[in-house]
Amino acid sequence: MTDVAVPPPRKPAKGVPLVIQRIALAGGFLLLWQIAASGVPSYVFPRPAATWAAIEHLFTTGVVWGHLGATLYRIVVGFLLAAAIGVPIGLLLGSSRRLGTFFSPVLPVMNSVSSAIWSLMAVVWFGLSDATPIFVVLTTGLPLIITNVWQGTKNVNADWLELASSVHMPKHKVLAKVYLPAVLPDFFSGARLAFGFGSRVSLVAEALGSSYGVGFMIVRAADLLQMSHVIAWSVILIATIALIESVVIRPAERHLFRWRKEAGL
Amino acid sequence: MMAAGARETVISLSGVTKAFEGNAGHLVALKDIGLDLYAGEVLALVGPSGCGKSTLLNIVAGIQSADHGTVTVFGKTPGKDGSTALGYVFQEDRLLPWRTALRNVTFSLEAGSVLRSERDRRAREALALVGLAGFEASYPHQLSGGMRSRVALARSLVLDPPVLLMDEPFGRLDAMTRSQMHGELLRLKGLFGMSILFVTHDVDEAVALADRVIVLQPRPGRISTVLDVDLPRPRDTAGPEGAAVVSRLKSLIGS
């Protein structure tokens, strides 16, 4: 058993504890905000307290749930579609040199199309429906996921492919058992990007082509000069995305990549 | 000495030639190779790097195909439908880092349609045979070099292969672990009775393990000598008889 490596115990960070540092950062930020907003009318730039009141109002009236739920639903569906389409395409492009060479110019072009353009096209095609923001999240996330998975196939060791061929493994099983696990770390970097970009562009799509959701509420609040509500909705969405990141995505990564030497450290 | 002609031939190569087009131009890796592997035999291919040893094993395994000549494994062309999967132990352990020792061994069986419970049972058995019972759940990075070699060996043995192809499998181990693995290999061969086609550039290793040694010359890779090693086992390559065979082989390779 002496051969089995034991990870070294986690060292406590030196100096000021991280929690205190974070609290100091947040406090400093709020103080700057307060100073910047003093002497300015609330409809131009509300103070932290006014923003907090708006957040409280959205929660106590229950307005927040329906809109936040609708927006999250669109982000998640768009993201899942992007992953479901992007992973096989990335694997295919990465495992076949001929396909990869042929399609290589498509991704940079797709990547450089502004999400405002996708949004406008989606409004024309799908009107004021869930499909509009879903489509925009999908088109934004898809090239990111394809690119990362494709990039990840370059980590697939030719030796592993020889091993698979020495035991007569058919191609579809090689894709599932060698390529897929090998590209998973890169898929996750792509997925984080796609999820982050998706959650931002979904607001653009909702602002332009929806009658419900966080993006729509932000535009409405801006039209009514309710700046505190604009900031409140933004804070709520950002906090929700951060929460999903820390309770879903990061634990999933830790579990999937437990085979790595430094996993979780 | 055994009468080779009377024994069953499991692998047969004749007139095998293979060339590569590389940056350095046309490179003939193998030229007119003819050899037979007999049932139950340990045959070592010895030669300096660049003599096409690995290419030869890949051709036998069906991973690459020959430009000319014929290759048969149990009467069939390797890599074609219905050909037998041989055990292939590579130069590196080639363990998949995201799989535990057990899952690395079951990998060989996942190509076919063996049930999962059956795969697990056989993989546990194979790991126990190579002395790794209790390490089923360990990831490769948690194992030492010698243990990783054993997992790689178990991954081949789990197929219960009639032939084991080995490409300098112990080349990266320290001397003591290597001679331990030689003992292990011969013990497992006694259990399974498979034939072994073994590639090495280490003459001592060839003399320690092989019934016959084939010496390959590089550029282009071709057979220069075939030598029977008629020493009792276990062998001591440092003893007078063993040392004599080693120095004879060394002079054959040097010439």
Side-chain angles (χ1 to χ4, degrees), chain B residues 89-93 95 130 132 143-155 169-173 177 181:
Chain B
V89 185
F90 298 92
Q91 210 162 343
E92 319 79 17
D93 52 60
L95 299 183
V130 299
L132 284 182
L143 301 171
S144 69
M147 294 163 102
R148 293 168 60 113
S149 280
R150 285 166 192 263
V151 177
L153 194 54
R155 182 179 56 199
F170 312 129
R172 300 194 173 188
L173 302 177
T177 315
M181 290 303 292

mmCIF file of all heavy atoms in Angstrom, chain B residues 89-93 95 130 132 143-155 169-173 177 181:
data_model
loop_
_atom_site.group_PDB
_atom_site.id
_atom_site.type_symbol
_atom_site.label_atom_id
_atom_site.label_comp_id
_atom_site.label_asym_id
_atom_site.label_seq_id
_atom_site.Cartn_x
_atom_site.Cartn_y
_atom_site.Cartn_z
ATOM 1 N N VAL B 89 0.498 -6.012 -25.420
ATOM 2 C CA VAL B 89 1.041 -5.214 -24.320
ATOM 3 C C VAL B 89 2.022 -4.224 -24.933
ATOM 4 O O VAL B 89 3.002 -4.617 -25.558
ATOM 5 C CB VAL B 89 1.748 -6.104 -23.277
ATOM 6 C CG1 VAL B 89 2.204 -5.255 -22.093
ATOM 7 C CG2 VAL B 89 0.809 -7.202 -22.801
ATOM 8 N N PHE B 90 1.711 -2.944 -24.769
ATOM 9 C CA PHE B 90 2.484 -1.913 -25.469
ATOM 10 C C PHE B 90 3.704 -1.479 -24.669
ATOM 11 O O PHE B 90 3.863 -1.800 -23.499
ATOM 12 C CB PHE B 90 1.598 -0.703 -25.742
ATOM 13 C CG PHE B 90 0.431 -1.001 -26.637
ATOM 14 C CD1 PHE B 90 -0.791 -1.376 -26.111
ATOM 15 C CD2 PHE B 90 0.570 -0.926 -28.015
ATOM 16 C CE1 PHE B 90 -1.867 -1.663 -26.930
ATOM 17 C CE2 PHE B 90 -0.493 -1.208 -28.851
ATOM 18 C CZ PHE B 90 -1.725 -1.581 -28.301
ATOM 19 N N GLN B 91 4.505 -0.691 -25.352
ATOM 20 C CA GLN B 91 5.724 -0.147 -24.765
ATOM 21 C C GLN B 91 5.411 0.719 -23.537
ATOM 22 O O GLN B 91 6.103 0.671 -22.545
ATOM 23 C CB GLN B 91 6.392 0.723 -25.825
ATOM 24 C CG GLN B 91 7.867 0.794 -25.719
ATOM 25 C CD GLN B 91 8.467 1.298 -27.019
ATOM 26 O OE1 GLN B 91 7.828 1.297 -28.068
ATOM 27 N NE2 GLN B 91 9.710 1.712 -26.963
ATOM 28 N N GLU B 92 4.342 1.515 -23.652
ATOM 29 C CA GLU B 92 3.876 2.304 -22.523
ATOM 30 C C GLU B 92 2.675 1.548 -21.951
ATOM 31 O O GLU B 92 2.074 0.747 -22.652
ATOM 32 C CB GLU B 92 3.418 3.693 -22.971
ATOM 33 C CG GLU B 92 4.297 4.357 -24.005
ATOM 34 C CD GLU B 92 4.046 3.819 -25.400
ATOM 35 O OE1 GLU B 92 3.010 3.182 -25.628
ATOM 36 O OE2 GLU B 92 4.926 4.018 -26.263
ATOM 37 N N ASP B 93 2.295 1.834 -20.717
ATOM 38 C CA ASP B 93 1.175 1.068 -20.174
ATOM 39 C C ASP B 93 -0.162 1.433 -20.831
ATOM 40 O O ASP B 93 -1.056 0.639 -20.895
ATOM 41 C CB ASP B 93 1.107 1.189 -18.646
ATOM 42 C CG ASP B 93 1.123 2.627 -18.182
ATOM 43 O OD1 ASP B 93 0.215 3.364 -18.569
ATOM 44 O OD2 ASP B 93 2.049 3.004 -17.440
ATOM 45 N N LEU B 95 -2.624 3.167 -19.954
ATOM 46 C CA LEU B 95 -3.832 3.113 -19.136
ATOM 47 C C LEU B 95 -4.615 4.393 -19.363
ATOM 48 O O LEU B 95 -4.028 5.464 -19.546
ATOM 49 C CB LEU B 95 -3.466 2.974 -17.652
ATOM 50 C CG LEU B 95 -2.677 1.726 -17.281
ATOM 51 C CD1 LEU B 95 -2.438 1.674 -15.778
ATOM 52 C CD2 LEU B 95 -3.373 0.463 -17.749
ATOM 53 N N VAL B 130 -2.401 -10.988 -11.538
ATOM 54 C CA VAL B 130 -1.159 -10.214 -11.627
ATOM 55 C C VAL B 130 -0.793 -9.608 -10.270
ATOM 56 O O VAL B 130 0.078 -8.744 -10.187
ATOM 57 C CB VAL B 130 -1.235 -9.102 -12.702
ATOM 58 C CG1 VAL B 130 -1.462 -9.705 -14.072
ATOM 59 C CG2 VAL B 130 -2.322 -8.092 -12.362
ATOM 60 N N LEU B 132 -2.788 -7.836 -8.087
ATOM 61 C CA LEU B 132 -3.319 -6.513 -7.765
ATOM 62 C C LEU B 132 -4.709 -6.582 -7.139
ATOM 63 O O LEU B 132 -5.470 -5.611 -7.216
ATOM 64 C CB LEU B 132 -3.344 -5.626 -9.017
ATOM 65 C CG LEU B 132 -2.000 -5.060 -9.453
ATOM 66 C CD1 LEU B 132 -2.180 -4.157 -10.667
ATOM 67 C CD2 LEU B 132 -1.336 -4.271 -8.332
ATOM 68 N N LEU B 143 -0.956 4.565 -8.789
ATOM 69 C CA LEU B 143 -0.197 3.317 -8.832
ATOM 70 C C LEU B 143 1.249 3.568 -9.247
ATOM 71 O O LEU B 143 1.539 4.512 -9.978
ATOM 72 C CB LEU B 143 -0.843 2.348 -9.836
ATOM 73 C CG LEU B 143 -2.300 1.975 -9.555
ATOM 74 C CD1 LEU B 143 -2.871 1.195 -10.725
ATOM 75 C CD2 LEU B 143 -2.411 1.168 -8.274
ATOM 76 N N SER B 144 2.144 2.684 -8.794
ATOM 77 C CA SER B 144 3.549 2.803 -9.192
ATOM 78 C C SER B 144 3.726 2.259 -10.609
ATOM 79 O O SER B 144 2.826 1.624 -11.163
ATOM 80 C CB SER B 144 4.406 1.997 -8.228
ATOM 81 O OG SER B 144 4.158 0.623 -8.417
ATOM 82 N N GLY B 145 4.912 2.500 -11.189
ATOM 83 C CA GLY B 145 5.191 2.049 -12.548
ATOM 84 C C GLY B 145 4.998 0.548 -12.711
ATOM 85 O O GLY B 145 4.402 0.090 -13.688
ATOM 86 N N GLY B 146 5.502 -0.219 -11.730
ATOM 87 C CA GLY B 146 5.374 -1.669 -11.800
ATOM 88 C C GLY B 146 3.924 -2.114 -11.746
ATOM 89 O O GLY B 146 3.492 -3.001 -12.480
ATOM 90 N N MET B 147 3.149 -1.440 -10.885
ATOM 91 C CA MET B 147 1.729 -1.796 -10.759
ATOM 92 C C MET B 147 0.972 -1.447 -12.025
ATOM 93 O O MET B 147 0.088 -2.197 -12.457
ATOM 94 C CB MET B 147 1.122 -1.064 -9.557
ATOM 95 C CG MET B 147 1.687 -1.516 -8.220
ATOM 96 S SD MET B 147 1.306 -0.301 -6.940
ATOM 97 C CE MET B 147 -0.035 -1.107 -6.119
ATOM 98 N N ARG B 148 1.333 -0.329 -12.630
ATOM 99 C CA ARG B 148 0.669 0.054 -13.891
ATOM 100 C C ARG B 148 0.957 -0.968 -14.977
ATOM 101 O O ARG B 148 0.081 -1.328 -15.766
ATOM 102 C CB ARG B 148 1.132 1.446 -14.319
ATOM 103 C CG ARG B 148 0.656 2.554 -13.376
ATOM 104 C CD ARG B 148 1.364 3.855 -13.646
ATOM 105 N NE ARG B 148 1.123 4.309 -15.000
ATOM 106 C CZ ARG B 148 0.429 5.398 -15.305
ATOM 107 N NH1 ARG B 148 -0.044 6.156 -14.355
ATOM 108 N NH2 ARG B 148 0.227 5.735 -16.546
ATOM 109 N N SER B 149 2.214 -1.464 -15.028
ATOM 110 C CA SER B 149 2.557 -2.515 -15.986
ATOM 111 C C SER B 149 1.707 -3.756 -15.763
ATOM 112 O O SER B 149 1.287 -4.420 -16.713
ATOM 113 C CB SER B 149 4.015 -2.921 -15.832
ATOM 114 O OG SER B 149 4.837 -2.024 -16.469
ATOM 115 N N ARG B 150 1.480 -4.058 -14.480
ATOM 116 C CA ARG B 150 0.664 -5.231 -14.173
ATOM 117 C C ARG B 150 -0.776 -5.039 -14.621
ATOM 118 O O ARG B 150 -1.407 -5.977 -15.118
ATOM 119 C CB ARG B 150 0.700 -5.511 -12.663
ATOM 120 C CG ARG B 150 2.005 -6.114 -12.206
ATOM 121 C CD ARG B 150 2.125 -6.041 -10.696
ATOM 122 N NE ARG B 150 3.480 -6.344 -10.269
ATOM 123 C CZ ARG B 150 3.857 -7.561 -9.857
ATOM 124 N NH1 ARG B 150 2.990 -8.531 -9.789
ATOM 125 N NH2 ARG B 150 5.107 -7.773 -9.500
ATOM 126 N N VAL B 151 -1.293 -3.820 -14.451
ATOM 127 C CA VAL B 151 -2.660 -3.561 -14.930
ATOM 128 C C VAL B 151 -2.720 -3.753 -16.443
ATOM 129 O O VAL B 151 -3.644 -4.379 -16.973
ATOM 130 C CB VAL B 151 -3.132 -2.139 -14.553
ATOM 131 C CG1 VAL B 151 -4.512 -1.865 -15.129
ATOM 132 C CG2 VAL B 151 -3.145 -1.952 -13.042
ATOM 133 N N ALA B 152 -1.693 -3.234 -17.146
ATOM 134 C CA ALA B 152 -1.666 -3.365 -18.602
ATOM 135 C C ALA B 152 -1.611 -4.839 -19.005
ATOM 136 O O ALA B 152 -2.250 -5.263 -19.972
ATOM 137 C CB ALA B 152 -0.468 -2.616 -19.181
ATOM 138 N N LEU B 153 -0.867 -5.613 -18.245
ATOM 139 C CA LEU B 153 -0.768 -7.049 -18.524
ATOM 140 C C LEU B 153 -2.125 -7.713 -18.282
ATOM 141 O O LEU B 153 -2.591 -8.519 -19.107
ATOM 142 C CB LEU B 153 0.297 -7.656 -17.599
ATOM 143 C CG LEU B 153 0.810 -9.056 -17.905
ATOM 144 C CD1 LEU B 153 1.318 -9.137 -19.329
ATOM 145 C CD2 LEU B 153 1.931 -9.424 -16.936
ATOM 146 N N ALA B 154 -2.776 -7.336 -17.178
ATOM 147 C CA ALA B 154 -4.094 -7.899 -16.863
ATOM 148 C C ALA B 154 -5.096 -7.549 -17.957
ATOM 149 O O ALA B 154 -5.954 -8.360 -18.312
ATOM 150 C CB ALA B 154 -4.591 -7.386 -15.513
ATOM 151 N N ARG B 155 -4.978 -6.334 -18.515
ATOM 152 C CA ARG B 155 -5.882 -5.899 -19.574
ATOM 153 C C ARG B 155 -5.771 -6.814 -20.801
ATOM 154 O O ARG B 155 -6.739 -7.026 -21.519
ATOM 155 C CB ARG B 155 -5.559 -4.446 -19.953
ATOM 156 C CG ARG B 155 -6.469 -3.858 -21.008
ATOM 157 C CD ARG B 155 -6.116 -2.427 -21.303
ATOM 158 N NE ARG B 155 -4.717 -2.304 -21.707
ATOM 159 C CZ ARG B 155 -4.021 -1.175 -21.678
ATOM 160 N NH1 ARG B 155 -4.585 -0.069 -21.270
ATOM 161 N NH2 ARG B 155 -2.766 -1.152 -22.049
ATOM 162 N N PRO B 169 7.568 -4.262 -23.214
ATOM 163 C CA PRO B 169 6.597 -3.852 -22.198
ATOM 164 C C PRO B 169 7.240 -3.441 -20.879
ATOM 165 O O PRO B 169 6.640 -2.721 -20.101
ATOM 166 C CB PRO B 169 5.750 -5.110 -22.005
ATOM 167 C CG PRO B 169 6.653 -6.230 -22.376
ATOM 168 C CD PRO B 169 7.540 -5.702 -23.466
ATOM 169 N N PHE B 170 8.443 -3.899 -20.635
ATOM 170 C CA PHE B 170 9.060 -3.607 -19.337
ATOM 171 C C PHE B 170 10.219 -2.626 -19.478
ATOM 172 O O PHE B 170 10.995 -2.418 -18.544
ATOM 173 C CB PHE B 170 9.547 -4.898 -18.671
ATOM 174 C CG PHE B 170 8.517 -6.002 -18.677
ATOM 175 C CD1 PHE B 170 8.824 -7.272 -19.124
ATOM 176 C CD2 PHE B 170 7.222 -5.737 -18.251
ATOM 177 C CE1 PHE B 170 7.865 -8.276 -19.132
ATOM 178 C CE2 PHE B 170 6.251 -6.734 -18.255
ATOM 179 C CZ PHE B 170 6.581 -8.007 -18.704
ATOM 180 N N GLY B 171 10.344 -2.035 -20.677
ATOM 181 C CA GLY B 171 11.487 -1.175 -20.971
ATOM 182 C C GLY B 171 11.596 0.041 -20.063
ATOM 183 O O GLY B 171 12.679 0.581 -19.887
ATOM 184 N N ARG B 172 10.470 0.471 -19.495
ATOM 185 C CA ARG B 172 10.511 1.692 -18.695
ATOM 186 C C ARG B 172 10.598 1.408 -17.198
ATOM 187 O O ARG B 172 10.513 2.323 -16.398
ATOM 188 C CB ARG B 172 9.266 2.527 -18.967
ATOM 189 C CG ARG B 172 9.205 2.894 -20.433
ATOM 190 C CD ARG B 172 8.216 3.981 -20.700
ATOM 191 N NE ARG B 172 8.370 4.372 -22.093
ATOM 192 C CZ ARG B 172 7.765 5.400 -22.635
ATOM 193 N NH1 ARG B 172 6.973 6.125 -21.908
ATOM 194 N NH2 ARG B 172 7.956 5.687 -23.903
ATOM 195 N N LEU B 173 10.717 0.135 -16.841
ATOM 196 C CA LEU B 173 10.776 -0.201 -15.423
ATOM 197 C C LEU B 173 12.231 -0.274 -14.967
ATOM 198 O O LEU B 173 13.143 -0.512 -15.760
ATOM 199 C CB LEU B 173 10.098 -1.549 -15.176
ATOM 200 C CG LEU B 173 8.633 -1.632 -15.611
ATOM 201 C CD1 LEU B 173 8.094 -3.029 -15.373
ATOM 202 C CD2 LEU B 173 7.793 -0.604 -14.879
ATOM 203 N N THR B 177 12.393 -4.320 -10.753
ATOM 204 C CA THR B 177 10.985 -4.550 -11.095
ATOM 205 C C THR B 177 10.895 -5.343 -12.397
ATOM 206 O O THR B 177 10.052 -6.221 -12.544
ATOM 207 C CB THR B 177 10.250 -3.211 -11.264
ATOM 208 O OG1 THR B 177 10.619 -2.361 -10.188
ATOM 209 C CG2 THR B 177 8.759 -3.394 -11.271
ATOM 210 N N MET B 181 8.975 -8.802 -13.133
ATOM 211 C CA MET B 181 7.920 -8.953 -14.143
ATOM 212 C C MET B 181 8.235 -10.119 -15.076
ATOM 213 O O MET B 181 7.327 -10.788 -15.568
ATOM 214 C CB MET B 181 7.756 -7.654 -14.943
ATOM 215 C CG MET B 181 7.158 -6.507 -14.164
ATOM 216 S SD MET B 181 5.540 -6.850 -13.427
ATOM 217 C CE MET B 181 4.512 -7.002 -14.898
#
